[in-house]
Amino acid sequence: MIKFHKAGCDFMNLISISQHLHTEFVGRDVEYYESISSTNNRAKEIAEQKLEGTVIIAEEQTQGKGRLSRKWVSPKGKGLWFSIILKPNLEPDKVYKITLIGAAAVNEALKEMGIKSSIKWPNDIIIEGKKVCGVLTEMSCEKNRVKYVVMGIGINVNLELEDFDTELKKKATSLKVMTGKEIDRSRLLACVLNHMERLYIPFKEKGILVDTIRICKEESILIGKEVRIIKGDVERVGNVIDIDDEGQLVVEYEDSQIEKILSGEVSIRGMEGYI
Ligand code: ADP
């Protein structure tokens, strides 16, 4: 059973979502909007009253967000723009690991639907060097404990190239553009939620992240690559050599110094372009 709160028109096919959804709690309560400022903002408004696993989904976001206050383009009816409310008993400094679970879940879901993609640690999904999905994790804490986490996932499903402006075209694409086919958004949503729960439960219950890290490593577009690591105004060049068991990116600089990077405040770029 899915509890489905619907405001506005119906494209998201509830029957199709429930046919494909095999979860215990993720996606069992869905709040649906035709248009919203940002699904993460709405999720934060209601997170305290809602059960873990509640999903907020919208056909369009008028103020979709990326990390570091960047904008996320979310045109109407073509993407999957949604947020999941989670309530892990966790210290705030471990929340970055939940972003990795989200990225791994999307990558696994695409694989299940026959689409080959890679993970750009920590929060992007890439096909042929371009971004098809981003994950934005936000949280609320109290006394060094997480009250809730809101994981926003934006997937460019059936967007056309014209949906991206000239700048964005250089680094973004959609599943439809890459596969030449229209993708069933309801099925893809259910698939992501299934993998999300499968990877999240061991982490929530026992702190186990083994599968997530394995997926993030196996499907990494960064490991073995020379990249630019950007922290604020400072940019350094390094080789990505690993993702460690804690989910940190292990980078070796030209002077052989090794640094383990936490996802938070860095941006990773290719030597020439986006990646
Ligand atoms: P980055 O991955 O570039 O480090 P973020 O994860 O914060 O940054 O994502 C925000 C950035 O993603 C924006 O600055 C913009 O360049 C790009 N972007 C915005 N909307 C989309 C979209 N629908 N698909 C792909 N990329 C997008």
Side-chain angles (χ1 to χ4, degrees), residues 65-68 70-75 81 120 123-124 131-135 156 159 164 168 171-173 266-269 274:
K65 292 186 293 183
R67 293 185 309 159
L68 312 171
R70 294 171 185 141
K71 199 170 168 270
W72 187 264
V73 171
S74 326
W81 326 121
K120 176 174 170 274
N123 70 322
D124 293 325
K131 179 149 64 162
V132 290
C133 164
V135 177
N156 301 333
L159 281 74
F164 304 112
L168 206 48
K171 62 172 179 177
T173 189
V266 297
S267 294
I268 312 274
R269 291 286 180 274
Y274 177 61

Side-chain angles (χ1 to χ4, degrees), residues 1-5 14 27-31 50-51 55:
M1 249 284 281
I2 306 182
K3 222 162 98 190
F4 201 65
H5 308 271
L14 180 59
R28 292 291 157 191
D29 187 349
V30 177
E31 221 180 83
K50 288 288 188 177
L51 290 176
V55 168

